[in-house]
Amino acid sequence: MTGGGPVIRADGRPAGHVVVAEALRISGRERRAVFGSAVLAGAAALLVGGGIVAGAFAASWGLFLEAGRAAERSIAYEESYVAYADQWDDLVKVACCVYPLLLIVALVLMAWLLTAQAVTVAHARARAAAGTDPGALTLRALWRRSRPHLGAALRVQLLTLVCALVPGLAGLLVLAAVAMELVPGVVWPTYHDPATVRFILVGRILPVVIWGLGLVLLARLAPATAVRVADTCSATAAMRRSWTLTRTARLRTTAICLLGTGAVAAAFAVLKWLGTYVAHGAGLLMLAATGDNVWVTGVLVLITPVAVALVLLPLVLAPTGVVLACLRERLDGSAGDARVPSGAPIG
């Protein structure tokens, strides 16, 4: 197809570099909507996620203070001690309450980001097809158009998480079975017993293969939110449609998703490194506020770089969402072209 339509390879599949190039163009042209939605997501992560973490610190405050007092007593009496020895179980209980709440926040924000970018791509396509310039998409208009899709988009994220847990837990189960010596003939290597061929195959290669299949599964479900926005269908129907669209472009879809995942991972690493400077200042303030309690300060310094990276990560996730929406447009266009009879005009 030529003109404004999708660029299709000779084998009927969309060209991957064209999808990424188009996503970059749309991200630049509709930057107010793309990065505005990312700023909103980051602000929500800071307020809601930060509130959850602050509540966890408040709930654990007495435990941290008691850990500090226990350590000081042991040092005064020249006794050995283990950090958080008597507080560990209660701290784990607090963490088990905090992590699910943070996961829910992450799923909601992912649903918002992917929905907003699908709406933005649809607006950009309609803007180009009309041949006129109605103006950039405002945040208010973006919210109005995205709001009807958010419930279904959240269900898509929940179903995708369930699908991701299956291969993720299966790989961990293989490692646990090997570690507990439940696999006949496979023994975990030690200093005196090097790794055997069986261990390398079962304990190293097999989990990686399982997780690799999980990544392919996620890649094929990645355009589901954009499908929901385009077709206004249910969450399960959107996931089935995404699976169907990516059937003829498995490798290309996986490559594009891996590229996006690599970009997000690299950005996370850089943002986490920048967060260490914030952690230093936060640690000094916590020391001053708690009378040099290194036990609560140490935990704060550990989580601050990750928190900073997660708050700023939507700025990278938003363009990635544009890529997925463009991918859905290209796959849907190629599927439509495939249904056109031979000799029929393609507009």
Side-chain angles (χ1 to χ4, degrees):
M1 177 178 289
T2 60
V7 177
I8 308 299
R9 291 163 51 93
D11 56 6
R13 295 177 292 179
H17 68 281
V18 175
V19 173
V20 176
E22 182 186 18
L24 292 176
R25 286 196 301 271
I26 293 177
S27 297
R29 190 183 311 123
E30 303 290 342
R31 54 186 175 275
R32 179 188 299 179
V34 173
F35 295 104
S37 62
V39 170
L40 290 178
L46 179 61
L47 294 176
V48 181
I52 293 173
V53 174
F57 269 106
S60 307
W61 197 257
L63 299 174
F64 287 122
L65 295 181
E66 180 57 33
R69 288 192 291 266
E72 291 173 356
R73 288 194 299 267
S74 298
I75 293 173
Y77 289 105
E78 298 182 352
E79 298 175 351
S80 61
Y81 66 93
V82 178
Y84 312 109
D86 298 324
Q87 297 81 28
W88 184 254
D89 291 340
D90 292 328
L91 289 174
V92 170
K93 292 178 182 178
V94 173
C96 289
C97 295
V98 170
Y99 286 149
L101 293 176
L102 292 178
L103 180 59
I104 292 174
V105 173
L107 291 176
V108 171
L109 294 181
M110 281 297 299
W112 156 249
L113 283 173
L114 294 179
T115 301
Q117 309 325 314
V119 170
T120 301
V121 170
H123 172 80
R125 284 296 188 93
R127 183 178 174 183
T132 59
D133 189 4
L137 187 64
T138 64
L139 286 178
R140 179 176 297 180
L142 179 63
W143 168 251
R144 186 176 65 252
R145 298 184 189 183
S146 300
R147 186 171 54 189
H149 305 288
L150 291 178
L154 179 58
R155 289 191 290 273
V156 168
Q157 301 310 309
L158 289 172
L159 292 173
T160 302
L161 176 63
V162 172
C163 294
L165 286 176
V166 174
L169 294 178
L172 292 177
L173 183 62
V174 171
L175 292 177
V178 173
M180 292 185 292
E181 299 183 356
L182 298 178
V183 182
V186 179
V187 180
W188 200 276
T190 62
Y191 179 77
H192 299 288
D193 299 318
T196 62
V197 175
R198 287 185 178 181
F199 172 80
I200 293 174
L201 292 175
V202 178
R204 289 291 182 264
I205 297 178
L206 181 58
V208 172
V209 170
I210 294 174
W211 291 330
L213 294 175
L215 289 176
V216 175
L217 172 65
L218 291 179
R220 296 194 61 181
L221 297 177
T225 302
V227 171
R228 154 65 199 188
V229 172
D231 299 344
T232 318
C233 55
S234 66
T236 53
M239 297 183 74
R240 287 196 299 268
R241 177 62 175 161
S242 175
W243 188 267
T244 301
L245 287 176
T246 57
R247 180 177 299 164
T248 58
R250 295 184 184 92
L251 292 179
R252 199 159 305 281
T253 300
T254 303
I256 291 174
C257 290
L258 286 178
L259 178 64
T261 302
V264 171
F268 180 82
V270 173
L271 293 173
K272 185 179 176 182
W273 172 72
L274 293 175
T276 57
Y277 295 97
V278 180
H280 178 71
L284 293 177
L285 290 176
M286 183 61 77
L287 284 174
T290 59
D292 295 335
N293 188 317
V294 298
W295 307 103
V296 64
T297 302
V299 174
L300 179 66
V301 170
L302 283 176
I303 68 173
T304 297
V306 178
V308 170
L310 291 177
V311 168
L312 297 177
L313 200 59
L315 295 173
V316 183
L317 289 173
T320 304
V322 176
V323 172
L324 295 178
C326 290
L327 176 63
R328 189 217 66 86
E329 292 276 358
R330 298 285 179 174
L331 291 173
D332 201 21
S334 62
D337 294 342
R339 291 190 294 266
V340 176
S342 177
I346 301 177

